[in-house]
Amino acid sequence: MTTTFSDLGLPNALVKTLGKQGFTEPFPIQVATIQDAANGRDVAGRAPTGSGKTLAFGLPILATVDRAQPHRPKALILAPTRELAEQIRRDLAPYGKAMGRQVFAIY
């Protein structure tokens, strides 16, 4: 039996957006981390480039974070380079929009 993004407990808005982006089945790193991260557990994962790590940590954040007040962000993702920060922003922006959240890169 194949695991779906719905099986991982993601909201329908995220599942629909994933489908529009061409993602119908989660990658192994996502299966291993999304539920635990969404339940507030700390997770650590290691996987090769292109394996879905950004969505593995980004989707649980977007699924659980409350709407922020002006000038009061609710989540912070640290990245070691400007380029990676921008890539994370670009990758998570459509999912943030689906959840009524904004994703910014500050460097």
Side-chain angles (χ1 to χ4, degrees), residues 3 7 17 26 29-30 33-34 64 66-67 70 93 95 100-101:
T3 302
D7 295 337
T17 305
I29 188 72
Q30 296 162 347
T33 60
I34 286 176
T64 60
D66 293 330
R67 184 177 295 273
Y95 306 102
R101 307 293 184 262

Side-chain angles (χ1 to χ4, degrees), residues 86-105:
E86 184 56 31
Q87 176 186 327
I88 292 168
R89 184 210 59 80
R90 188 176 53 249
D91 289 350
L92 295 182
Y95 306 102
K97 183 176 180 180
M99 294 300 292
R101 307 293 184 262
Q102 292 181 320
V103 179
F104 295 97

Side-chain angles (χ1 to χ4, degrees), residues 19-20 23 32 42 47 52 57 62 64 70 72-73 75 96 103:
K20 289 178 186 174
F23 298 111
D42 292 336
F57 67 78
L62 292 169
T64 60
R72 304 273 188 218
V103 179

